[in-house]
Amino acid sequence: GRPPFSAVLTANPWRDGQGQIAGLRWLIHDITQRKRMEEMFRRREQESRALVENNPDMVVRVSRESRYLYVNPAAQRAIGFPAEAIMGKTLEELGTPEDVAARWRAATCAVFETGRERTIEFELPTRRGQKRYDARIVPEFGPDGEVATVLGIARDITDLKLVEEELAREKQQLQALLDTSPVAIIVVDPNFKVKYANQETQRIYSVALNVGKDLSQNQQAVLVCRPDGNPLSSDELPLYRALKA
């Protein structure tokens, strides 16, 4: 009355005293659980492959000789060749600039030797122009515990780097404006520590303000008074009032 199940059937001949085959011995082994595990691993492999195949990042697997064993579609588009033209080749054989190929080879060799992840940044000429990548190179261990292959995941950071460079230029321009401003500017953090004081502030104070020190310590260099000549206490200074409020 049991439903059908997956099994392995092994049949061996049974012989009589004269050595003649008198029958068969059957061993039936229930492999239902094994089949379930295989199916689960198959589904997971399909899901993993789908993720890698549709990943916008470059994903490659290379051997100890730095030869490609796998490249996902994003890597194929970036390198400019189909998978069949890439498999088994090195970066040098694919015409990659020498400096990039040398850095990549050095990083992968280090991962094979140490078993530890490495990260590198590099530029690569592609069909869409010069691109900048941030790559993680991670070890893949074999059954013996040794590094069998390495996996490289490279993300296109071209736009991010352009934004960072633009922000850096804007910061430099703002710094130049602050430094040359005819108005005294002081920046303090919530703990009343001086973060920045421009050149006009230094001129008015007639002494260099110490960045990182409490404002009250810097304030000792000058005496701030009301128009009637009465000095202001530290708690009465505008910066203190603003922070406390």
Side-chain angles (χ1 to χ4, degrees), residues 40-185:
M40 182 182 70
F41 285 127
R42 186 185 66 80
R43 285 198 302 269
R44 286 185 178 177
E45 184 179 0
Q46 287 179 335
E47 291 169 357
S48 298
R49 180 172 291 275
L51 287 172
V52 172
E53 293 291 314
N54 294 285
N55 195 327
D57 298 337
M58 293 172 56
V59 181
V60 301
R61 177 176 287 115
V62 297
S63 68
R64 191 173 289 273
E65 294 76 28
S66 295
R67 296 189 178 277
Y68 283 111
L69 303 176
Y70 170 79
V71 285
N72 74 336
Q76 296 172 43
R77 290 191 295 270
I79 297 173
F81 294 100
E84 56 270 19
I86 300 173
M87 302 297 286
K89 301 287 183 60
T90 64
L91 284 176
E92 292 88 345
E93 292 171 344
L94 292 169
T96 304
E98 291 183 7
D99 59 330
V100 177
R103 292 184 61 215
W104 178 263
R105 181 181 288 276
T108 55
C109 288
V111 174
F112 273 111
E113 291 174 4
T114 65
R116 296 179 181 176
E117 178 180 327
R118 289 292 181 97
T119 59
I120 61 169
E121 284 190 18
F122 61 91
E123 292 189 10
L124 191 67
T126 72
R127 291 181 176 179
R128 296 172 293 167
Q130 194 80 0
K131 296 290 182 179
R132 299 173 72 171
Y133 291 92
D134 180 26
R136 292 174 54 229
I137 304 173
V138 297
E140 293 183 306
F141 296 95
D144 58 358
E146 297 294 324
V147 180
T149 55
V150 298
L151 198 65
I153 305 102
R155 174 160 295 180
D156 185 348
I157 58 171
T158 307
D159 292 340
L160 176 62
K161 286 295 183 181
L162 290 174
V163 170
E164 288 178 351
E165 291 169 359
E166 181 62 27
L167 288 174
R169 283 194 295 270
E170 291 180 358
K171 184 178 179 181
Q172 289 176 344
Q173 292 172 357
L174 177 60
Q175 189 73 45
L177 287 172
L178 292 174
D179 287 341
T180 59
S181 172
V183 178
I185 299 171

